[in-house]
Amino acid sequence: MQAFSRPLARIAPRNLSRAAALSTWSAVPAGPPDPILGVTEAFKADKDPRKINLGVGAYRDENATNPDKEYLPITGLPEFTKAAVKLAYGEDSIPLQHNAIAVTQSISGTGALRIGGAFLARFYPNTKTIYLPNPSWGNHTPIFRDSGLEVKQYRYYDKTTVGLDFAGLKEDLKNMPEQSIVLLHACAHNPTGVDPTPEQWIEISDIIQEKKLFPFFDMAYQGFASGSTTHDAFAVRHFVKAGHQIALAQSFAKNMGLYGERVGAFSLTTADPEEKARVESQLKIVVRPMYSNPPLHGARIASTVLGNHKLYKEWHGEVENMANRIISMRHRLHDNLVAQGTPGEWKHITSQIGMFSFTGLTQPQTKVLADKAHIYMTSDGRISMAGLNSHNIDYFSESVSKAVKGLL
Ligand code: PLA
């Protein structure tokens, strides 16, 4: 880590401009400021005490109230986006230290993916094909298709081992046309709960580099896989260290329990602050006609927690507790299924990580569980482990065992 904490001044300007020439985003033009919200930006930047903002239509009485509920900037609450980027990339990340990460707040993880898809469809200078792991979160395909990208798949999950099809994954990466976009689940892969090991991530990073593919990380569960936000950011941080330019979608739904507040961020690493400014100007032009500017309340909560040492520690402890509770439910479920003599191999319940378990239950079994036992899960056999607790785990295990034995 130490090696990457070099201050900006020590990086030779020559290297920065070389990076800019090689950058994926070197041809993105600076966009004009928004005719209305751009006025607020100019107002905020003005330091004169006599300043008055008559640009945006926001009612004010004789005395300004604080904190207000006025519109956020198009790219969101700056304290929040700063904290979000730090959480994902790590404090000592080179592009972060160089002020070279373009970022916008988003409508949670989904919105981040959608902004990313739209930005890539407009500005990615190469083939507009994005490869998703098979399987992936069900909403990935429509998000990217509706963004204007072509969606294809790469091998990921091996049914026979109930694990990662690493050989298939590598072969598919090697066979992709150069410069294709690859979607990677940063941690706690949904729906399988199967992640590459750190060593496998390093290999994946090498192949992606060789093939000049563009990695787009979806990090919807930072902290949920291992209980450590640092550990779960391994892949993202390794790729950045290895010199990749990346796109990143972050969600604070799960790790902060802010589901309905819709708190997220989309970021891109760029070559330097000048390129970052150009890219951000274009992110604004993507966002403004979609939803104008993001919701305020959840971002305020997240930035308060992330920006305060005591609250941060307390929150991180809670993330750890959530991850550990899920892990303990995995053990209880596994032990119950085995104790009840349930046919089949159930080790994957404990080896998978994150929010979900891909149980291996068949579609008819999931149907009979809903119809006869009132137990609901997606038809691919995915269960949210977090929905299990000490009150319902025994009923659930018995019902699954009966369903597998054909006794329900
Ligand atoms: N990316 C992945 C991999 C996800 O699993 C989810 C949510 C998101 C992004 C988006 O979450 P957000 O917009 O709420 O931040 N997946 C959930 C919920 C938890 C859903 O489908 O919307 C799921 O049950 O799969």
Side-chain angles (χ1 to χ4, degrees), residues 351-396:
S351 63
Q352 292 168 350
I353 56 170
M355 189 106 172
F356 299 108
S357 180
F358 217 37
T359 57
L361 290 169
T362 62
Q363 194 165 344
Q365 288 166 344
T366 65
K367 187 166 183 326
V368 82
L369 279 163
D371 291 348
K372 299 280 174 57
H374 314 277
I375 292 169
Y376 297 86
M377 67 187 75
T378 52
S379 60
D380 56 4
R382 182 194 86 166
I383 58 170
S384 172
M385 290 304 305
L388 293 173
N389 55 53
S390 56
H391 308 294
N392 64 20
I393 182 95
D394 292 335
Y395 174 65
F396 177 71

Side-chain angles (χ1 to χ4, degrees), residues 284-337:
K284 287 178 196 170
I285 291 167
V286 169
V287 167
R288 175 68 157 145
M290 267 195 207
Y291 55 86
S292 189
N293 50 77
L296 170 61
H297 189 68
R300 239 177 216 163
I301 296 173
S303 69
T304 303
V305 172
L306 295 173
N308 174 298
H309 185 64
K310 192 165 158 277
L311 291 176
Y312 181 93
K313 268 185 76 177
E314 195 177 324
W315 165 69
H316 207 276
E318 286 170 2
V319 170
E320 224 176 297
N321 287 344
M322 289 193 285
N324 287 340
R325 196 185 80 73
I326 290 174
I327 292 166
S328 76
M329 283 301 129
R330 288 186 183 281
H331 286 284
R332 284 217 22 206
L333 177 59
H334 170 266
D335 294 353
N336 280 356
L337 290 174

Side-chain angles (χ1 to χ4, degrees), residues 106-113 136-140 143 183-191 218-221 249-254 258-260 262-264 355-356 378 382 384:
S106 62
I107 313 288
S108 211
T110 306
L113 294 163
S136 199
W137 178 44
N139 206 16
H140 276 148
I143 286 173
L183 190 281
L184 302 161
H185 294 228
C187 63
H189 182 273
N190 176 12
D218 181 1
M219 186 147 69
Y221 300 94
Q250 284 174 264
S251 167
F252 289 83
K254 271 70 73 169
L258 290 173
Y259 306 90
R262 314 305 290 145
V263 186
M355 189 106 172
F356 299 108
T378 52
R382 182 194 86 166
S384 172

